[in-house]
Amino acid sequence: MPKLIKNDTVSSDSWQRALPDGDQLVKDHFPTLAQWQAATETLPTVQLQPGDVVAELADALDTLDIIAVDFPVLTDGRGFSYARELRQRGYRGELRATGEFMPDQVHYLRRCGFDAFQPADASRLEEYLRQLRVFSEHYQASIDEPLPLFRRRDSESQPA
């Protein structure tokens, strides 16, 4: 059973990365966007690949429990933008990064909206967890903290 980081702990989960070469759904594998769209029943999960269009999920965001975003190679960062767009469109379910990303990227993945991480190299999960705790405060606004630090401090100093 694959290991992942969810709720800041290492846990097991039966879901695995999509098998994008086939048209058929495979048990315990996320369906690709094309497989999800072709399905005759409503599927609660989908995996986005680089090149997919996030807007194609816009009408179904309330019906999806998990959206996985695949990072097939380390140098493809489109998943960061996909996460931000999904959260800005109102997606509130689990947003899982899967595939090839490094431990020092998980902090930034979280800032973009990811809340679960399933790296291809599960042997380093403790390092991924440690990297999630490196920063305790952020100056910039992001999906996980919409106000920059100076605005948060201004609101804290205002009388109630």
Side-chain angles (χ1 to χ4, degrees):
M1 189 168 286
K3 299 269 188 197
L4 71 147
I5 297 170
K6 186 175 174 180
N7 301 321
D8 290 333
T9 60
V10 175
S11 59
S12 295
D13 186 280
S14 63
W15 287 105
Q16 298 179 50
R17 291 169 75 181
L19 300 173
D21 295 334
D23 293 333
Q24 299 296 317
L25 297 174
V26 179
K27 183 180 183 324
D28 292 335
H29 287 267
F30 287 108
T32 63
L33 181 60
Q35 292 166 342
W36 180 82
Q37 289 171 323
T40 55
E41 74 274 4
T42 302
L43 301 175
T45 63
V46 66
Q47 180 175 299
L48 296 175
Q49 302 290 125
D52 285 343
V53 179
V54 172
E56 293 182 29
L57 293 174
D59 293 336
L61 292 180
D62 292 339
T63 67
L64 291 164
D65 296 331
I66 304 173
I67 298 177
V69 177
D70 192 39
F71 290 81
V73 294
L74 189 59
T75 56
D76 194 329
R78 289 178 274 187
F80 287 87
S81 299
Y82 290 178
R84 189 178 125 277
E85 184 176 348
L86 285 162
R87 293 298 188 201
Q88 286 178 327
R89 288 179 176 272
Y91 181 65
R92 299 286 173 243
E94 179 183 313
L95 190 53
R96 184 182 300 188
T98 66
E100 302 294 334
F101 50 91
M102 297 185 306
D104 62 343
Q105 292 177 305
V106 293
H107 172 76
Y108 302 105
L109 288 165
R110 175 174 280 163
R111 300 235 47 222
C112 292
F114 287 101
D115 55 5
F117 310 92
Q118 191 172 19
D121 181 8
S123 69
R124 299 175 63 195
L125 283 175
E126 291 302 322
E127 175 63 16
Y128 285 88
L129 266 176
R130 190 183 74 69
Q131 290 292 331
L132 284 171
R133 299 179 187 112
V134 168
F135 298 101
S136 61
E137 192 62 77
H138 305 95
Y139 291 110
Q140 305 87 358
S142 189
I143 292 299
D144 67 341
E145 178 54 68
L147 292 176
L149 182 61
F150 76 94
R151 291 282 182 228
R152 294 191 310 266
R153 285 186 175 161
D154 287 348
S155 66
E156 290 170 4
S157 65
Q158 298 296 323

